[in-house]
C-alpha cells in the first residue's frame, strides 16, 4: 500500500487441508519478523458460511473478529479446513485468513466484506499516526460509492 512500503498484509488461502497444519513465519513472503517487536492479528474471512463480523465497541478476540494476536511464531493459528462445502456444485473446502500488521497500536483490516481487503487499487495511501493517534487513509472509488472500512485498536486484553 502506498505510504509505507514496510507495511504488508498477508493472505492465507487453504484448500482441502484435512489435518491441522501449523503455520510458520517462513510460510510468508517476506517471512514474518518477530525480532523487532513486530506484531500482527489474524482475521478469518468465514464464520460458518458468512463473512466474519467485527462489532463496534467489542473486544475483537472475544467476539471472534480476530482469531489470534501474533507476537511470536507459536501464536500463528492452525490451518484446518473443517467448514463444510458452501454450495452444491463446489468440490473443495477452503478458508481464507488475513494477517494484518499492528502499527502504533492500530490494525487496518480494510473492506472485510471483500476477499482482498487492502489493495493499491482501493487505497491511495495508509498512514498510521504516531502515539496511537489513529489511521489516515486515502481511498479511490466512484463519487457516490459507500465503502465500509474496519480498523481496530487492540488493547492488552484483546
Amino acid at each position: 500500500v502506498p505510504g509505507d512500503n514496510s507495511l504488508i498484509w498477508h493472505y492465507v488461502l487453504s484448500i482441502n487441508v484435512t489435518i491441522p497444519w501449523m503455520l510458520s513465519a517462513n510460510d510468508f513472503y517476506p517471512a514474518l519478523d518477530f525480532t523487532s517487536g513486530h506484531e500482527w492479528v489474524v482475521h478469518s474471512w468465514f464464520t460458518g458460511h458468512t463473512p466474519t463480523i467485527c462489532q463496534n465497541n467489542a473486544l475483537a478476540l472475544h467476539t471472534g473478529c480476530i482469531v489470534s494476536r501474533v507476537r511470536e511464531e507459536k501464536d500463528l493459528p492452525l490451518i484446518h479446513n473443517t467448514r463444510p462445502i458452501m454450495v452444491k456444485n463446489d468440490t473443495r473446502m477452503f478458508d481464507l485468513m488475513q494477517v494484518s500488521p499492528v502499527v502504533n497500536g492500530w490494525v487496518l483490516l480494510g473492506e472485510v466484506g471483500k476477499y482482498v481487503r487492502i489493495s493499491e487499487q482501493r487505497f491511495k495511501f495508509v498512514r498510521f499516526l504516531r502515539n496511537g493517534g489513529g489511521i489516515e487513509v486515502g481511498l479511490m472509488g466512484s463519487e457516490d460509492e459507500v465503502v465500509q472500512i474496519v480498523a481496530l485498536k487492540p488493547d492488552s486484553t484483546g
Side-chain angles (χ1 to χ4, degrees), residues 79-94:
I79 296 175
H80 191 189
N81 298 131
T82 58
R83 187 176 47 78
I85 291 175
M86 291 181 65
V87 293
K88 288 183 179 180
N89 65 346
D90 198 352
T91 59
R92 305 282 185 251
M93 292 184 300
F94 74 96

Side-chain angles (χ1 to χ4, degrees), residues 120-140:
E120 291 180 354
Q121 288 71 32
R122 174 62 84 187
F123 291 86
K124 283 182 171 180
F125 64 87
V126 174
R127 291 187 195 103
F128 289 85
L129 306 177
R130 293 178 187 223
N131 301 321
I135 306 171
E136 184 178 77
V137 299
L139 294 174
M140 295 179 278

Side-chain angles (χ1 to χ4, degrees), residues 36-153:
S36 304
H38 292 133
E39 183 179 342
W40 294 267
V41 296
V42 179
H43 174 81
S44 180
W45 199 91
F46 294 107
T47 301
H49 293 298
T50 59
T52 301
I53 302 296
C54 296
Q55 301 171 17
N56 281 338
N57 300 316
L59 296 176
L61 278 170
H62 297 277
T63 62
C65 170
I66 297 299
V67 175
S68 66
R69 191 168 181 176
V70 181
R71 294 179 175 138
E72 51 189 324
E73 193 168 52
K74 71 176 183 62
D75 298 331
L76 288 166
L78 290 173
I79 296 175
H80 191 189
N81 298 131
T82 58
R83 187 176 47 78
I85 291 175
M86 291 181 65
V87 293
K88 288 183 179 180
N89 65 346
D90 198 352
T91 59
R92 305 282 185 251
M93 292 184 300
F94 74 96
D95 285 303
L96 178 63
M97 291 187 292
Q98 177 181 341
V99 181
S100 303
V102 178
V103 182
N104 297 335
W106 284 87
V107 175
L108 178 63
L109 292 181
E111 295 182 87
V112 295
K114 309 265 181 169
Y115 280 108
V116 177
R117 292 126 183 220
I118 304 286
S119 71
E120 291 180 354
Q121 288 71 32
R122 174 62 84 187
F123 291 86
K124 283 182 171 180
F125 64 87
V126 174
R127 291 187 195 103
F128 289 85
L129 306 177
R130 293 178 187 223
N131 301 321
I135 306 171
E136 184 178 77
V137 299
L139 294 174
M140 295 179 278
S142 60
E143 185 176 327
D144 294 326
E145 184 177 7
V146 175
V147 180
Q148 294 183 336
I149 304 296
V150 174
L152 307 172
K153 184 170 183 11

